[in-house]
């Protein structure tokens, strides 16, 4: 019992010190930062075109390469990634950084292969692309519903939980109070601003995240004696209290290698290269949250430039998130590396381990006054950035893919209001989900996110690759392939929840399919099986006529679509008939308010501004102008010097990436 005394006394000290250490300077920094963010959000929303579906959801197709690149990075690096990556780094070493470096080539695939097809097809959402490509409605509805479920139970809930965990540890606030305050601020500028507000604030937050995290990285490295010191200290970072006759407390011997044993490794190298590529293609090339960023580019060169910048930025988390997680374990092995369930419960409230606290612990202990406030602001920024991206993309999916089916003649005004209401509903569900995430296996947050993704997303990856490259694929093949993939993925996911992983010292009694097949292997196998089913069923059913595939595949992207469309009704009205519906809306509003003739009352103007609805008359477009606008929105032409600049940068980025893999491999 005497062994446990130091740890028992450390927890009260930890919480007490935290409240005392968070000084006046820190509070001033946080308040100034939030005021600044709201100002940027409101400024950009006043500047932006928010009163059309294209303006609110795609930032008016006017974004340049640098905000897109920054937004791609910060949409993906939320607070869940800060806590999850640093925690897995603390528990297992460098290999988890491979998840970040794998994104480089998939981001280039997004800019060079996927986005040209999406722009040529003239789509706003990914399910809408599938509906144009295959016809029918069932695939689009399935995709929209699956995406909303994935967002709710992996992205939104884990980001809120990890952000709240950070704030609770740092400030000693009540978990729910901190979450509700954050969500309120996030919701105000997402709802009021649309995608332009999200993208501009993303740029600001990416900058602060990267600078703050780098400062902490340098302070941490100085403490442990740089990289050589980290290798030495991490290898000996074992807690004082251990579970007898086990090796759980020992750091992994291969902690400083990316490529690990294919059978016994915690992240086996074939899984890291092949299985992870399946998840990465889903995340970066077919996921609404990410692709929406690239589709808001003013032209294809800007979309490619954004992909290249995003790829460069994704090299950094290995150094400013994963390695600081390892530094945290080297400096505080008793808390971050605890293995005794009772002690872990006292330190962080989770019996399975406390690696999740690695990053917050480092901030609290090492950051000087003022900078500590900045890092709290960074974590809040990461949470808000991730949530704004997901809220905005979820409302886009719901409005364009689901609501327009229920209400075929919905006005522009109705679509804008429904988009805002959906965000509010998502926020309520997210707050109610917090206790469930709290009681979930919080010792493995990053594993939770990745494994859920690897059970549900591989069929979607298989379908998009085939849809873009294989003209023979048709609707029955695509739909039944997705159903097959979903059934197999759900079986594995349910088994994962029934048979939980053993804790330190317990025998592993799980079935072989769980025990011996890593989730990254499973993802790759599921993707291949789904592709086989899609191809076989497509070959047994009639093909889609060639003329109906114009501008919808890689081989036909330069052919312009004829008037015939695979769609059963005009769900694409969001882009093609914007002008018509806007003029209808203006006429409707004018006829209702003829008697007022002057300005509407103040409360009404405030309501119209909040919902992004214009009070003045709008210009109507002639048929020629509409055709020219559509031509501009679906053009994938590139000016020559910029095309070359993008290509050279892409090759340079891949070279750096290959060098890093080889050096740390």
């Amino acid at each position: 019992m005497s062994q446990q005394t130091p740890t028992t006394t450390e927890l009260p000290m930890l919480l007490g010190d935290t409240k005392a250490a968070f000084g006046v300077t820190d509070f001033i920094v946080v308040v100034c930062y939030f005021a600044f963010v709201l100002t940027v959000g409101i400024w950009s929303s006043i500047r932006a075109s928010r009163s059309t579906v294209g303006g609110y959801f795609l930032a008016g197709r006017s974004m340049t390469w640098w905000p897109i690149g920054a937004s791609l990075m910060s949409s993906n690096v939320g607070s869940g990634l800060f806590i999850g990556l640093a925690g897995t780094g603390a528990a297992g070493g460098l290999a988890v950084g491979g998840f970040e470096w794998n994104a480089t080539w998939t981001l280039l695939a997004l800019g060079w292969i996927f986005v040209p097809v999406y722009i040529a097809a003239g789509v706003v959402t990914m399910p809408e692309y599938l509906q144009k490509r295959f016809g029918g409605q069932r695939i689009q509805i399935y995709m929209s519903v699956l995406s909303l479920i994935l967002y709710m139970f992996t992205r939104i809930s884990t980001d809120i939980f990890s952000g709240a965990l950070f704030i609770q540890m740092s400030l000693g606030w009540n978990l729910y109070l901190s979450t509700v305050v954050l969500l309120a601020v996030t919701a105000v500028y997402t709802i009021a601003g649309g995608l332009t507000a999200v993208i501009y604030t993303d740029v600001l937050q990416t900058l602060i995240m990267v600078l703050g995290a780098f400062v902490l990285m340098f302070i941490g490295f100085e403490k442990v004696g740089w990289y050589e010191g980290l290798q030495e200290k991490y290898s000996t970072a074992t807690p004082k209290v251990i579970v007898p006759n086990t090796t759980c407390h020992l750091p992994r011997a291969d902690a400083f290698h990316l490529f690990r044993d294919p059978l016994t490794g915690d992240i086996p190298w074939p899984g890291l290269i092949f299985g992870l590529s399946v998840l990465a293609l889903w995340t970066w090339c077919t996921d609404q949250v990410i692709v929406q960023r690239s589709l808001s580019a003013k032209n294809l060169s800007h979309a490619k430039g954004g992909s290249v910048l995003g790829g460069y930025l994704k090299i950094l988390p290995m150094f400013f998130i994963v390695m600081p997680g390892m530094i945290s374990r080297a400096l505080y092995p008793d808390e971050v590396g605890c293995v005794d369930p009772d002690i872990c419960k006292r330190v962080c409230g989770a019996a399975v381990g406390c690696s999740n606290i690695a990053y917050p612990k480092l901030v609290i202990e090492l950051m000087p006054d003022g900078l500590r406030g900045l890092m709290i602001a960074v974590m809040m920024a990461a949470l808000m950035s991730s949530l704004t991206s997901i809220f905005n993309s979820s409302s886009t999916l719901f409005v364009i893919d689901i609501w327009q089916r229920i209400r075929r003649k919905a006005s522009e005004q109705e679509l804008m209001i429904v988009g805002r209401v959906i965000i509010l509903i998502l926020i309520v569900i997210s707050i109610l989900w917090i206790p469930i995430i709290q009681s979930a296996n919080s010792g493995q947050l990053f594993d939770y996110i990745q494994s859920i993704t690897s059970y549900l997303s591989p069929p979607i990856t298989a379908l998009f690759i085939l849809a873009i490259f294989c003209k023979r694929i048709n609707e029955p093949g695509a739909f039944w392939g997705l159903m097959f993939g979903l059934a197999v993925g759900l079986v594995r996911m349910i088994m994962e929840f029934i048979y939980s992983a053993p804790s330190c010292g317990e025998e592993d009694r799980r079935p072989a399919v769980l025990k011996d097949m890593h989730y990254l292997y499973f993802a790759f196998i599921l993707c291949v099986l789904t592709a086989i089913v899609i191809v076989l069923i497509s070959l047994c059913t009639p093909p889609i006529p060639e003329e109906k595939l114009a501008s919808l595949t890689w081989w036909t992207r330069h052919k312009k679509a004829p008037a015939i469309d695979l769609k059963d009704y005009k769900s694409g009205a969001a882009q093609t008939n914007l002008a018509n519906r806007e003029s209808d809306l203006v006429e409707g509003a004018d006829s209702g308010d003829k008697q007022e003739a002057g300005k509407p009352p103040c409360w009404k103007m405030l309501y119209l501004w909040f919902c992004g609805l214009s009070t003045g008359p709008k210009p109507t477009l002639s048929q020629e102008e509409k055709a020219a606008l559509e031509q501009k929105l679906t053009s994938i032409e590139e000016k020559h010097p910029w095309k070359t600049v993008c290509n050279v940068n892409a090759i340079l980025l891949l070279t750096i990436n290959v060098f890093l893999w080889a050096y740390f491999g």
Side-chain angles (χ1 to χ4, degrees):
M1 195 62 196
S2 58
Q3 273 185 303
Q4 295 184 16
T5 316
T7 320
T8 317
T9 54
E10 262 172 47
L11 183 63
M13 276 173 61
L14 178 93
L15 291 170
D17 286 352
T18 303
K19 289 178 185 170
F22 201 75
V24 180
T25 327
D26 296 320
F27 276 112
I28 292 170
V29 169
V30 172
V31 170
C32 291
Y33 170 74
F34 267 96
F36 188 44
V37 165
L38 275 175
T39 310
V40 171
I42 290 168
W43 166 78
S44 63
S45 69
I46 289 168
R47 238 176 119 260
S49 140
R50 298 160 55 245
S51 53
T52 66
V53 169
Y56 181 75
F57 293 131
L58 285 184
R61 284 257 162 99
S62 63
M63 301 308 292
T64 50
W65 63 274
W66 60 272
I68 291 170
S71 184
L72 283 170
M73 165 79 169
S74 57
S75 300
N76 183 254
V77 181
S79 54
L81 208 69
F82 264 94
I83 295 216
L85 267 185
T88 307
L94 290 180
V96 73
F99 280 76
E100 297 301 289
W101 289 354
N102 191 285
T104 299
W105 78 266
T106 42
L107 271 165
L108 295 180
L110 170 70
W112 269 257
I113 295 170
F114 288 81
V115 164
V117 177
Y118 297 151
I119 291 177
V123 294
V124 177
T125 73
M126 297 303 93
E128 189 191 359
Y129 166 73
L130 289 179
Q131 205 220 1
K132 275 195 165 189
R133 169 69 177 80
F134 294 113
Q137 297 182 17
R138 53 190 185 172
I139 294 177
Q140 190 179 11
I141 295 171
Y142 165 86
M143 283 288 299
S144 303
V145 173
L146 183 72
S147 299
L148 286 170
I149 290 169
L150 269 168
Y151 292 162
M152 243 184 311
F153 299 123
T154 62
R155 301 267 178 95
I156 301 178
S157 52
T158 54
D159 269 343
I160 289 177
F161 167 70
S162 51
L165 175 78
F166 192 98
I167 296 160
Q168 188 188 29
M169 272 202 70
S170 313
L171 300 178
W173 285 7
N174 173 289
L175 192 72
Y176 294 96
L177 172 70
S178 49
T179 307
V180 171
V181 168
L182 265 181
L183 284 171
V185 177
T186 306
V188 165
Y189 80 69
T190 310
I191 292 172
L195 189 63
T196 317
V198 172
I199 289 182
Y200 277 112
T201 47
D202 269 356
V203 174
L204 168 75
Q205 291 175 173
T206 306
L207 195 67
I208 292 179
M209 264 196 272
V210 172
L211 291 176
F214 266 114
V215 170
L216 183 60
M217 180 189 78
F218 282 115
I219 295 173
F221 268 122
E222 193 184 27
K223 276 267 190 273
V224 293
W226 304 101
Y227 193 67
E228 293 77 18
L230 174 60
Q231 284 178 302
E232 186 190 319
K233 286 190 171 65
Y234 183 85
S235 308
T236 57
T238 54
K240 291 188 184 76
V241 182
I242 62 170
V243 178
N245 306 320
T246 65
T247 54
C248 312
H249 57 284
L250 296 174
R252 292 186 65 90
D254 54 8
F256 288 87
H257 299 289
L258 279 175
F259 294 128
R260 300 186 175 176
D261 190 280
L263 297 175
T264 59
D266 57 336
I267 301 176
W269 72 261
L272 197 58
I273 291 174
F274 302 109
L276 183 55
S277 298
V278 170
L279 304 189
L281 278 168
W282 172 75
T283 302
W284 295 103
C285 302
T286 75
D287 181 23
Q288 181 69 19
V289 173
I290 300 295
V291 176
Q292 195 173 343
R293 301 282 166 281
S294 293
L295 289 183
S296 65
K298 58 166 69 170
N299 59 39
L300 184 55
S301 292
H302 279 284
K304 287 182 175 180
S307 279
V308 171
L309 177 61
Y312 279 119
L313 289 172
K314 288 299 281 180
I315 289 172
L316 303 176
M318 169 71 100
F319 302 103
F320 68 69
I321 303 180
V322 179
M323 288 182 184
M326 297 174 73
I327 291 170
S328 186
R329 172 161 179 170
L331 293 176
Y332 314 107
D334 289 324
E335 288 103 326
V336 178
C338 74
V339 288
D340 183 282
D342 296 335
I343 291 175
C344 292
K345 244 306 197 223
R346 278 203 291 272
V347 172
C348 65
V352 284
C354 289
S355 57
N356 276 345
I357 68 163
Y359 205 82
K361 179 78 179 160
L362 213 57
V363 174
I364 292 161
E365 299 288 343
L366 298 189
M367 283 299 231
D369 278 359
L371 278 179
R372 192 184 297 108
L374 179 69
M375 280 311 287
I376 299 291
V378 168
M379 293 310 298
M380 291 184 178
L383 174 74
M384 288 167 62
S385 166
S386 198
L387 288 175
T388 45
S389 305
I390 294 160
F391 288 150
N392 190 278
S393 302
S394 305
S395 65
T396 313
L397 274 178
F398 185 84
V399 165
I400 290 171
D401 294 328
I402 298 172
W403 190 256
Q404 281 195 326
R405 278 183 203 301
I406 303 166
R407 301 264 302 159
R408 306 249 168 122
K409 292 183 179 174
S411 68
E412 192 82 20
Q413 182 169 12
E414 182 182 326
L415 295 180
M416 300 306 299
I417 292 168
V418 169
R420 265 79 166 178
V421 170
I422 274 301
I423 294 176
L424 293 174
I425 292 169
L426 281 174
I427 289 170
V428 172
I429 294 172
S430 309
I431 294 174
L432 295 175
W433 194 249
I434 294 171
I436 295 161
I437 284 289
Q438 257 186 305
S439 61
N441 192 349
S442 55
Q444 298 160 23
L445 185 71
F446 193 73
D447 270 3
Y448 166 80
I449 299 168
Q450 296 302 331
S451 56
I452 297 283
T453 308
S454 68
Y455 306 143
L456 298 178
S457 66
I460 300 170
T461 305
L463 176 61
F464 271 89
I465 292 171
L466 290 171
I468 283 175
F469 288 112
C470 183
K471 291 193 276 189
R472 184 62 183 81
I473 302 303
N474 60 18
E475 199 272 349
F479 180 73
W480 291 110
L482 283 177
M483 289 296 115
F484 166 81
L486 178 69
V488 176
L490 281 177
V491 168
R492 165 84 191 226
M493 191 168 88
I494 292 163
M495 285 176 73
E496 197 78 49
F497 284 128
I498 294 171
Y499 301 98
S500 55
S503 22
C504 185
E506 284 182 4
E507 190 189 338
D508 194 343
R509 291 207 172 93
R510 295 174 299 166
V513 70
L514 292 182
K515 191 167 53 174
D516 302 330
M517 191 191 288
H518 194 275
Y519 63 80
L520 291 175
Y521 287 153
F522 179 81
F524 183 71
I525 292 166
L526 181 57
C527 182
V528 171
L529 288 177
T530 304
I532 292 168
V533 172
I534 292 173
V535 170
L536 288 177
I537 295 177
S538 295
L539 291 174
C540 298
T541 45
I544 294 170
E546 181 84 22
E547 69 274 10
K548 292 191 177 181
L549 294 176
S551 78
L552 294 173
T553 70
W554 175 255
W555 318 111
T556 60
R557 67 192 186 283
H558 293 296
K559 289 183 190 169
K560 280 297 145 208
I564 324 160
D565 197 343
L566 276 171
K567 296 187 170 193
D568 304 326
Y569 76 102
K570 297 180 183 177
S571 82
Q575 311 92 268
T576 52
N577 292 341
L578 270 183
N580 282 344
R581 289 216 312 227
E582 282 170 15
S583 58
D584 294 346
L585 173 61
V586 172
E587 284 158 23
D590 285 353
S591 62
D593 292 332
K594 280 265 166 69
Q595 65 275 28
E596 288 183 31
K599 281 204 304 185
C602 295
W603 66 266
K604 190 167 184 184
M605 286 185 75
L606 184 69
Y607 155 77
L608 288 170
W609 172 80
F610 187 73
C611 283
L613 299 165
S614 169
T615 48
K618 296 179 188 173
T620 50
L621 300 180
S622 67
Q623 286 300 326
E624 293 77 21
E625 286 170 326
K626 278 182 210 170
L629 178 68
E630 197 171 330
Q631 173 66 36
K632 179 175 174 277
L633 288 177
T634 58
S635 164
I636 51 172
E637 299 304 313
E638 292 182 89
K639 292 196 172 69
H640 197 68
W642 296 117
K643 186 176 180 178
T644 312
V645 168
C646 288
N647 291 342
V648 169
N649 262 294
I651 293 165
L652 181 65
L653 173 61
L654 281 175
T655 310
I656 294 170
N657 190 257
V658 169
F659 167 76
L660 286 169
W661 275 98
Y663 182 79
F664 287 98

